[in-house]
Amino acid sequence: MPLWLACVILLLAVLGMVLARRNMSADRHVRILCISFSAILALIALVYIGLTLLLVSAVE
């Protein structure tokens, strides 16, 4: 996966958390599920970005 795609996924996950918090006030369970899924996706993207930067700095 390219680094730019990981950054886009991270931004979309953060946006998903914000929009779920703002717009899903009717059903609490669905909101929690959406925020949890977005948080896990953001964590995966952050780990990927961090490991990529670590590998690039180790090669140099």
Side-chain angles (χ1 to χ4, degrees):
M1 173 170 44
L3 185 61
W4 65 268
L5 184 59
C7 293
V8 169
I9 290 172
L10 178 63
L11 289 175
L12 289 176
V14 170
L15 184 64
M17 285 188 280
V18 170
L19 290 177
R21 176 84 174 134
R22 180 182 285 176
N23 296 332
M24 291 186 172
S25 59
D27 193 5
R28 181 182 164 106
H29 297 302
V30 174
R31 182 178 67 208
I32 290 172
L33 185 67
C34 287
I35 290 174
S36 300
F37 178 74
S38 295
I40 291 170
L41 195 61
L43 180 65
I44 291 170
L46 276 173
V47 167
Y48 181 82
I49 292 169
L51 289 175
T52 301
L53 293 176
L54 182 68
L55 179 67
V56 168
S57 67
V59 170
E60 292 176 1

